[in-house]
């Protein structure tokens, strides 16, 4: 075989493998949270949100290590530093759309139920979510924008920081790419 045929076969196999991809992920997603402590607004954010999407089942799951959160608030910094247990948040939920990646679509708006696990606690969070189609050439992708509230009682933060609001507002924007 000539080099030309070997290159063509290798490229064809690579293309077939790329088209059969069913799991997508990012390890550098952006998450922002806001609450009030002692009647002052506190913003925390992380660029280490890990998100995985199984395109076949539309199941999305993710993790966030709270130690990756950046904040100027000394009480939260102290909580992150002195925590005895791992501060890993796990979440999962299913995107309620049949086929949002293979063809253009209007923005999909839905209430997205997420199952959240933090330390020994399990609870549900409903996020107001928009899934917007973006098309660039032969690539299809969607932007997932989700926002909602988490009770500080659910994660036990109100016991550590008594002057914290009852809720923490969360928002994340994630691009879901399909080649």
């Amino acid at each position: 075989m000539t080099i030309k045929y070997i290159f063509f076969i290798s490229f064809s196999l690579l293309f077939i493998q790329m088209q059969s991809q069913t799991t997508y992920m990012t390890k550098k997603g952006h998450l922002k949270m806001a609450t009030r402590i002692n009647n002052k607004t506190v913003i925390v954010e992380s660029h280490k949100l890990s998100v995985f999407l199984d395109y076949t089942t539309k199941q999305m799951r993710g993790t966030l290590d709270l130690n990756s959160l950046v904040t100027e608030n000394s009480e939260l910094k102290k909580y992150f530093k002195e925590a005895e247990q791992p501060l890993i948040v796990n979440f999962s939920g299913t995107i309620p759309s049949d086929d949002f990646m293979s063809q253009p679509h209007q923005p999909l708006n839905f209430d997205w139920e997420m199952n959240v696990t933090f330390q020994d606690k399990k609870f549900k969070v409903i996020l107001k979510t928009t899934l917007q189609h973006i098309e660039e050439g032969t690539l299809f992708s969607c932007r997932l924008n989700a926002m909602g509230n988490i009770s500080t009682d659910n994660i036990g933060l109100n016991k550590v920081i008594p002057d914290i609001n009852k809720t923490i507002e969360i928002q994340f924007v994630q691009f879901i790419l399909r080649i």
Side-chain angles (χ1 to χ4, degrees):
M1 263 191 218
T2 66
I3 300 237
K4 184 169 137 181
Y5 290 116
I6 292 172
F7 176 75
F8 177 74
I9 291 170
S10 298
F11 181 75
S12 297
L13 289 174
L14 178 65
F15 182 73
I16 289 168
Q17 184 178 4
M18 284 175 30
Q19 293 292 51
S20 65
Q21 180 180 357
T22 60
T23 303
Y24 306 89
M25 69 177 236
T26 182
K27 291 184 178 183
K28 294 188 178 187
H30 184 236
L31 173 107
K32 196 171 221 177
M33 296 187 276
T35 191
R36 295 185 64 81
I37 299 176
N38 294 322
N39 290 320
K40 294 180 184 173
T41 300
V42 175
I43 305 288
V44 296
E45 61 185 307
S46 175
H47 291 280
K48 295 185 178 178
L49 177 69
S50 294
V51 179
F52 305 87
L53 170 66
D54 182 326
Y55 182 70
T56 306
T57 64
K58 309 301 186 279
Q59 177 77 24
M60 184 176 278
R61 60 186 170 79
T63 61
L64 176 67
D65 184 349
L66 295 184
N67 284 311
S68 73
L69 293 173
V70 177
T71 182
E72 296 299 318
N73 183 274
S74 59
E75 290 177 274
L76 283 176
K77 283 183 181 180
K78 181 180 176 185
Y79 169 70
F80 298 145
K81 185 177 180 179
E82 295 178 355
E84 294 177 11
Q85 295 182 0
L87 297 177
I88 306 295
V89 176
N90 294 296
F91 59 92
S92 65
T94 303
I95 296 175
S97 178
D98 292 334
D99 192 9
F100 61 89
M101 298 276 297
S102 68
Q103 58 190 358
H105 58 79
Q106 294 298 315
L108 304 172
N109 296 304
F110 55 94
D111 290 335
W112 193 18
E113 184 177 83
M114 300 294 289
N115 298 306
V116 180
T117 304
F118 178 66
Q119 295 176 339
D120 296 330
K121 300 166 186 72
K122 292 182 180 188
F123 53 94
K124 294 187 183 296
V125 173
I126 305 293
L127 301 176
K128 296 286 186 192
T129 305
T130 300
L131 190 64
Q132 183 177 6
H133 181 81
I134 300 168
E135 186 175 349
E136 290 292 327
T138 59
L139 299 177
F140 286 91
S141 61
C142 289
R143 183 179 64 214
L144 180 76
N145 185 5
M147 60 182 72
N149 295 314
I150 294 178
S151 167
T152 54
D153 186 42
N154 282 345
I155 58 176
L157 202 53
N158 60 339
K159 294 175 185 170
V160 179
I161 304 171
D163 295 324
I164 195 168
N165 253 18
K166 293 181 180 182
T167 60
I168 297 172
E169 295 176 33
I170 63 168
Q171 180 176 12
F172 67 91
V173 176
Q174 187 62 49
F175 286 94
I176 302 170
L177 304 175
R178 175 149 185 184
I179 299 175

mmCIF file of all heavy atoms in Angstrom, residues 42-57:
data_model
loop_
_atom_site.group_PDB
_atom_site.id
_atom_site.type_symbol
_atom_site.label_atom_id
_atom_site.label_comp_id
_atom_site.label_asym_id
_atom_site.label_seq_id
_atom_site.Cartn_x
_atom_site.Cartn_y
_atom_site.Cartn_z
ATOM 1 N N VAL A 42 -21.733 38.316 48.989
ATOM 2 C CA VAL A 42 -20.522 37.521 48.857
ATOM 3 C C VAL A 42 -20.621 36.749 47.549
ATOM 4 O O VAL A 42 -21.605 36.058 47.306
ATOM 5 C CB VAL A 42 -20.357 36.537 50.040
ATOM 6 C CG1 VAL A 42 -19.159 35.638 49.829
ATOM 7 C CG2 VAL A 42 -20.255 37.305 51.353
ATOM 8 N N ILE A 43 -19.609 36.885 46.714
ATOM 9 C CA ILE A 43 -19.545 36.181 45.438
ATOM 10 C C ILE A 43 -18.413 35.168 45.517
ATOM 11 O O ILE A 43 -17.320 35.484 45.978
ATOM 12 C CB ILE A 43 -19.258 37.157 44.269
ATOM 13 C CG1 ILE A 43 -20.269 38.296 44.234
ATOM 14 C CG2 ILE A 43 -19.172 36.406 42.941
ATOM 15 C CD1 ILE A 43 -21.645 37.911 43.781
ATOM 16 N N VAL A 44 -18.676 33.943 45.080
ATOM 17 C CA VAL A 44 -17.628 32.927 44.961
ATOM 18 C C VAL A 44 -17.740 32.325 43.569
ATOM 19 O O VAL A 44 -18.826 32.266 42.991
ATOM 20 C CB VAL A 44 -17.721 31.831 46.048
ATOM 21 C CG1 VAL A 44 -17.513 32.399 47.425
ATOM 22 C CG2 VAL A 44 -19.040 31.103 45.981
ATOM 23 N N GLU A 45 -16.616 31.898 43.035
ATOM 24 C CA GLU A 45 -16.654 31.270 41.726
ATOM 25 C C GLU A 45 -15.545 30.253 41.585
ATOM 26 O O GLU A 45 -14.572 30.271 42.336
ATOM 27 C CB GLU A 45 -16.609 32.298 40.606
ATOM 28 C CG GLU A 45 -15.402 33.159 40.540
ATOM 29 C CD GLU A 45 -15.533 34.219 39.455
ATOM 30 O OE1 GLU A 45 -15.815 33.874 38.294
ATOM 31 O OE2 GLU A 45 -15.333 35.396 39.777
ATOM 32 N N SER A 46 -15.733 29.381 40.620
ATOM 33 C CA SER A 46 -14.741 28.353 40.320
ATOM 34 C C SER A 46 -14.672 28.182 38.811
ATOM 35 O O SER A 46 -15.676 28.307 38.115
ATOM 36 C CB SER A 46 -15.127 27.022 40.966
ATOM 37 O OG SER A 46 -14.226 26.014 40.561
ATOM 38 N N HIS A 47 -13.481 27.862 38.344
ATOM 39 C CA HIS A 47 -13.277 27.516 36.940
ATOM 40 C C HIS A 47 -12.911 26.046 36.823
ATOM 41 O O HIS A 47 -12.291 25.636 35.852
ATOM 42 C CB HIS A 47 -12.177 28.398 36.330
ATOM 43 C CG HIS A 47 -12.594 29.827 36.204
ATOM 44 N ND1 HIS A 47 -13.380 30.278 35.180
ATOM 45 C CD2 HIS A 47 -12.372 30.890 37.012
ATOM 46 C CE1 HIS A 47 -13.614 31.568 35.352
ATOM 47 N NE2 HIS A 47 -13.016 31.954 36.457
ATOM 48 N N LYS A 48 -13.295 25.265 37.827
ATOM 49 C CA LYS A 48 -12.966 23.843 37.841
ATOM 50 C C LYS A 48 -14.198 22.970 37.998
ATOM 51 O O LYS A 48 -14.159 21.922 38.630
ATOM 52 C CB LYS A 48 -11.953 23.555 38.948
ATOM 53 C CG LYS A 48 -10.620 24.244 38.693
ATOM 54 C CD LYS A 48 -9.598 23.872 39.705
ATOM 55 C CE LYS A 48 -8.283 24.570 39.361
ATOM 56 N NZ LYS A 48 -7.249 24.287 40.325
ATOM 57 N N LEU A 49 -15.290 23.398 37.416
ATOM 58 C CA LEU A 49 -16.505 22.601 37.399
ATOM 59 C C LEU A 49 -16.327 21.510 36.351
ATOM 60 O O LEU A 49 -16.067 21.796 35.187
ATOM 61 C CB LEU A 49 -17.702 23.484 37.038
ATOM 62 C CG LEU A 49 -19.055 22.806 36.907
ATOM 63 C CD1 LEU A 49 -19.538 22.324 38.263
ATOM 64 C CD2 LEU A 49 -20.062 23.779 36.312
ATOM 65 N N SER A 50 -16.437 20.255 36.764
ATOM 66 C CA SER A 50 -16.323 19.128 35.825
ATOM 67 C C SER A 50 -17.719 18.658 35.457
ATOM 68 O O SER A 50 -18.532 18.381 36.336
ATOM 69 C CB SER A 50 -15.560 17.966 36.451
ATOM 70 O OG SER A 50 -14.224 18.318 36.680
ATOM 71 N N VAL A 51 -17.989 18.589 34.166
ATOM 72 C CA VAL A 51 -19.304 18.191 33.678
ATOM 73 C C VAL A 51 -19.147 17.111 32.619
ATOM 74 O O VAL A 51 -18.289 17.223 31.744
ATOM 75 C CB VAL A 51 -20.056 19.409 33.087
ATOM 76 C CG1 VAL A 51 -21.408 18.992 32.551
ATOM 77 C CG2 VAL A 51 -20.214 20.500 34.126
ATOM 78 N N PHE A 52 -19.964 16.075 32.715
ATOM 79 C CA PHE A 52 -19.955 14.964 31.770
ATOM 80 C C PHE A 52 -21.373 14.781 31.227
ATOM 81 O O PHE A 52 -22.329 14.794 31.984
ATOM 82 C CB PHE A 52 -19.526 13.667 32.461
ATOM 83 C CG PHE A 52 -18.205 13.772 33.150
ATOM 84 C CD1 PHE A 52 -18.124 14.230 34.458
ATOM 85 C CD2 PHE A 52 -17.035 13.440 32.487
ATOM 86 C CE1 PHE A 52 -16.894 14.342 35.100
ATOM 87 C CE2 PHE A 52 -15.809 13.544 33.122
ATOM 88 C CZ PHE A 52 -15.741 13.994 34.427
ATOM 89 N N LEU A 53 -21.496 14.633 29.928
ATOM 90 C CA LEU A 53 -22.796 14.402 29.287
ATOM 91 C C LEU A 53 -22.735 13.108 28.509
ATOM 92 O O LEU A 53 -21.852 12.919 27.670
ATOM 93 C CB LEU A 53 -23.139 15.543 28.322
ATOM 94 C CG LEU A 53 -24.343 15.304 27.411
ATOM 95 C CD1 LEU A 53 -25.644 15.219 28.213
ATOM 96 C CD2 LEU A 53 -24.453 16.394 26.355
ATOM 97 N N ASP A 54 -23.675 12.226 28.796
ATOM 98 C CA ASP A 54 -23.853 11.020 27.987
ATOM 99 C C ASP A 54 -24.938 11.361 26.974
ATOM 100 O O ASP A 54 -26.111 11.495 27.324
ATOM 101 C CB ASP A 54 -24.274 9.834 28.857
ATOM 102 C CG ASP A 54 -24.419 8.554 28.057
ATOM 103 O OD1 ASP A 54 -24.831 8.607 26.872
ATOM 104 O OD2 ASP A 54 -24.132 7.486 28.623
ATOM 105 N N TYR A 55 -24.536 11.525 25.735
ATOM 106 C CA TYR A 55 -25.467 11.983 24.711
ATOM 107 C C TYR A 55 -26.584 10.979 24.459
ATOM 108 O O TYR A 55 -27.707 11.353 24.143
ATOM 109 C CB TYR A 55 -24.708 12.273 23.412
ATOM 110 C CG TYR A 55 -25.603 12.804 22.337
ATOM 111 C CD1 TYR A 55 -26.140 14.074 22.447
ATOM 112 C CD2 TYR A 55 -25.935 12.033 21.236
ATOM 113 C CE1 TYR A 55 -26.993 14.572 21.477
ATOM 114 C CE2 TYR A 55 -26.779 12.532 20.258
ATOM 115 C CZ TYR A 55 -27.300 13.789 20.386
ATOM 116 O OH TYR A 55 -28.134 14.270 19.440
ATOM 117 N N THR A 56 -26.312 9.698 24.650
ATOM 118 C CA THR A 56 -27.323 8.669 24.401
ATOM 119 C C THR A 56 -28.470 8.763 25.403
ATOM 120 O O THR A 56 -29.639 8.709 25.034
ATOM 121 C CB THR A 56 -26.683 7.269 24.470
ATOM 122 O OG1 THR A 56 -25.576 7.236 23.573
ATOM 123 C CG2 THR A 56 -27.668 6.191 24.095
ATOM 124 N N THR A 57 -28.140 8.919 26.686
ATOM 125 C CA THR A 57 -29.180 8.951 27.724
ATOM 126 C C THR A 57 -29.591 10.365 28.111
ATOM 127 O O THR A 57 -30.536 10.531 28.869
ATOM 128 C CB THR A 57 -28.678 8.240 28.993
ATOM 129 O OG1 THR A 57 -27.559 8.967 29.519
ATOM 130 C CG2 THR A 57 -28.290 6.801 28.704
#
